[in-house]
Amino acid sequence: MLRALCLAALLPFAAALASEILEDKDFWMSQGEKDLKSSLGITRNMGRARNVILFVGDGMGPNTITAARIYKAGEDGSLSFEKFPNTGLLKTYAVDKQVPDSACTATALFSGVKTNYETAGVDARVKLNDCVGSLHEEARVSSILEWAQQAGKDTGFVTTTRVTHATPSALYAHVANRRWECEAKMPRSSSLCKDIARQLVEDEPGRNIKVIFGGGRQCLMTNSTPTEQDPIDTWACSRRDGLDLIDQWQNDKKWRGFTYAYLNQSGDLDSLDIDHVSFVMGIFANGHLKMENERDKSRNGMPSLSKMTETAIRMLRKNERGFVLVVEGGMIDFAHHRGHARQALEETIQFNQAIEKTLTLLHEMKAIDDTLVIVTSDHTHSLTINGYPERGGNILGVAQTSREDKIPYTTLMYATGGMNNFQYERKGSGFTRKDPTTVDTTAWDYSHIAAVPDDEAHHGGGDVAVYATGPMAHLFHGVHEQTFVAHVISYAAQIGPHKGSSAPGSSQNILGLLIGFLLIFLMS
């Protein structure tokens, strides 16, 4: 009995010792050797990208990725895209702002041109609210979807936000204010301009996009019906002009002789006859789609990002010339704006699952070698990871106690935030910080502390990471302007500005290499 008690008492010490031995110098030297061997084994894919899939995690800065990694798999874990062979950093500033919004950064990503804060699909000549300026053809910029369509490829986009929201709008619209999602948000002085929703349905390249999945029904049709599970988004535009652009979209496809399908709930994706449909529009919410922790996962609810992405790829793969698809995990940003760190991390994990599903599909399709997959973000948020929490601790938990006010604080914090994030309370003649150990900091709606109160947590201005695999992925190799993404896509897929250029691996380049070798031989 005494022996058993002694063994039980020694077990924790033995476990701790084993943990230390597990990660001694031999362990880390071995890890380094494995990483080095893996890196030395990377070969460049110099081929042409038949397909391009661009994933944009809205507001997914480096700290969000780190926190989500710990949240999902621990400090030594990884997200799927972190294993991509090529990485770089992107500068996110706007032409007129150090800290950008999603419209101007999306324009940089999709068109290769930086522009002004809160404008989309136009260059810096167009100032915010300048309707007339946005009508000038020379100030409008074209996107990767337009370039792909001109090259005969199919195109699509998937988002968990409204399909007219800032990020997707830069794929097809030219607008002097990202809030002009429908006519109700536009001033009378801007009556010459089309709202974003109309540009999606009526103009090119919007009307030629084969797959459109997301929310935003209230921007596309007048008198959209709210329900308890799908209320009207009071922050956003609601159409009032009597138009039903969803019906107009269907009529356009009918008049042009195309097969089409309109979907409005998750189960419709399962029922979709992919082989016999050319165009598909899925509008699954009046406003944004629900966050994963709130989503009705039945057939009558809203689909996951993974399910929408999988369906989009299966639709677009039918084109022998390939496709370009953009996938946005938009609710990462939405959660951050409210200071709800756990929701932001969960949305990042869902975004990661969509990428995992995509890689599995590409392998099944035997298209992994001719598909350029890029994962990045439009901008960061002011999320910080601080204090000195123990390894293995809950990333959503308490880091340590402040040496100054003697009150504990959480590992995750925000620089700015709404009043819910301003965790101070009156005490006597002054204010004191609230003790986070008295509440559940892992709750979905817990608002992590912010240093400065404002209407919401604001964007950060730091660089974002870019991860890539597939043809020409090695072009991401250092610190780049955010506009570089569109140029890499153009060059890798031979569309847009770089259509017909002599990419490595092309016959022109091979001939040049042969001539070069011949000259070296003759001179030796």
Side-chain angles (χ1 to χ4, degrees), residues 200-256:
L200 172 61
V201 172
E202 297 176 1
D203 299 345
E204 295 183 0
R207 68 195 294 255
N208 294 322
I209 297 173
K210 291 293 183 72
V211 177
I212 300 169
F213 288 158
R217 194 180 298 112
Q218 68 189 57
C219 300
L220 290 161
M221 61 182 296
T222 305
N223 298 324
S224 185
T225 305
T227 66
E228 184 177 347
Q229 289 295 316
D230 185 22
I232 294 295
D233 186 345
T234 56
W235 282 48
C237 183
S238 289
R239 192 153 217 102
R240 301 173 186 167
D241 59 4
L243 292 180
D244 184 339
L245 295 176
I246 295 173
D247 187 56
Q248 190 173 315
W249 178 87
Q250 294 179 86
N251 286 332
D252 173 71
K253 305 304 172 279
K254 186 186 301 181
W255 293 334
R256 294 162 66 192

Side-chain angles (χ1 to χ4, degrees), residues 501-518:
S501 60
S502 298
S506 68
S507 57
Q508 298 97 320
N509 240 304
I510 294 171
L511 179 61
L513 288 171
L514 289 173
I515 293 172
F517 286 133
L518 179 60

Side-chain angles (χ1 to χ4, degrees), residues 20 39 45 120 122 141 149 154 166 174 194 220 230 257 262 271 292 297 350 359 390 427 429 439 474 499 523:
E20 287 183 19
S39 296
N45 183 336
V122 291
V141 296
Q149 289 175 11
D154 280 350
H174 311 282
K194 284 186 179 182
L220 290 161
D230 185 22
Y262 171 69
S271 306
E292 186 62 21
K297 298 174 176 61
Q350 296 304 314
L359 297 175
E390 295 296 326
K427 190 172 185 180
S429 60
V439 295
H474 61 275
K499 183 179 182 181
M523 293 171 64

